[in-house]
Amino acid sequence: MSHQNEHTDVLLQACLKGKQSAQVEVYNRYYKAMYNIAFRIVKDSAEAEDVMQESFLNAFTKLHTFKGDVTFGAWLKRIVINNSIYHYKKQKKTRSVDLDEVMYKVEDNDEVALNENGYTELKAQKVMETMKSLKDNYRVSLTLHLVEGYDYEEISEIMDISYANCRTTISRAKESLRKKLTVNA
């Protein structure tokens, strides 16, 4: 066991006994990394700060459940990721979306059909409605990518899938959406 891990174990034992100085030390050791994780998922500095604070509170409250199977940092990271995803999903319901931008991204090529006024034939609202009929993993990945603007790496982390699987899922989701839009046109 490394010296760093030994010191962390001593700190965690002190935290279990309620020593605030040990909690401050643990917080100072991990807060930057945990903030960065939260920020990559929620995409807002203030929200990331809230998620990180909540995660530390959860960790200190549930510290007695930490078994030591993984490092404390890995355990804390999982708490932050779970809280970030939960917060992200909760906030997603209240975010507004530029539907015309989504339509443009779905077309994803130079063959965007325009009517005489220069507007896309397929209304963005129809795209959003059609997206609801996709399989869950297609709908979620496409929403994260097209609507929320996450890149493949971020989506693979959020959805807990490999990078290659993420790219394939999004590609298939776009194709499925195009087919459904064509059938319903």
Side-chain angles (χ1 to χ4, degrees), residues 167-184:
R167 288 183 61 95
T168 301
T169 300
I170 291 172
S171 176
R172 289 178 180 166
K174 283 181 179 180
E175 187 58 35
S176 177
L177 182 59
R178 281 188 199 106
K179 284 180 182 175
K180 286 179 183 277
L181 288 169
T182 303
V183 168
N184 295 333

Side-chain angles (χ1 to χ4, degrees), residues 2 5 10 12-13 16-17 39 43 62 80 82 86 99 107-108 115 117 125 133 135 139 141 145 183:
S2 73
N5 286 345
V10 170
L12 295 178
Q13 289 303 315
L16 281 169
K17 294 176 184 171
F39 183 76
K43 290 290 191 199
K62 305 235 184 262
V80 171
N82 289 341
Y86 172 77
L99 296 176
E107 284 297 327
D108 196 75
N115 66 15
N117 297 326
Q125 188 63 44
S133 70
K135 292 183 351 185
R139 181 181 42 77
S141 62
H145 185 62
V183 168

Side-chain angles (χ1 to χ4, degrees), residues 44-163:
D44 179 82
S45 181
E47 289 178 23
E49 185 76 27
D50 289 346
V51 167
M52 181 198 60
Q53 296 291 338
E54 180 183 324
S55 297
F56 272 101
L57 285 172
N58 291 350
F60 289 134
T61 303
K62 305 235 184 262
L63 190 57
H64 64 281
T65 67
F66 174 61
K67 305 287 186 234
D69 299 341
V70 295
T71 64
F72 175 75
W75 184 74
L76 181 59
K77 180 179 181 180
R78 179 48 51 195
I79 293 171
V80 171
I81 289 171
N82 289 341
N83 283 344
S84 297
I85 291 171
Y86 172 77
H87 187 75
Y88 170 78
K89 287 178 180 177
K90 193 170 93 176
Q91 292 298 337
K92 182 169 67 171
K93 294 176 184 174
T94 63
R95 292 183 182 155
S96 62
V97 177
D98 182 351
L99 296 176
D100 290 327
E101 181 180 334
V102 171
M103 184 57 222
Y104 177 75
K105 288 181 181 179
V106 169
E107 284 297 327
D108 196 75
N109 59 37
D110 295 332
E111 300 171 11
V112 177
L114 300 176
N115 66 15
E116 62 278 357
N117 297 326
Y119 295 107
T120 57
E121 290 288 343
L122 296 171
K123 295 295 179 201
Q125 188 63 44
K126 184 176 179 183
V127 172
M128 295 305 287
E129 286 300 316
T130 306
M131 280 179 65
K132 292 177 184 176
S133 70
L134 296 175
K135 292 183 351 185
D136 283 346
N137 63 330
Y138 284 6
R139 181 181 42 77
V140 170
S141 62
L142 213 50
T143 300
L144 289 172
H145 185 62
L146 298 177
V147 178
E148 301 300 333
Y150 285 91
D151 63 27
Y152 295 126
E153 189 173 313
E154 293 167 323
I155 295 168
S156 63
E157 186 174 315
I158 290 168
M159 294 181 68
D160 197 24
I161 57 176
S162 70
Y163 181 84

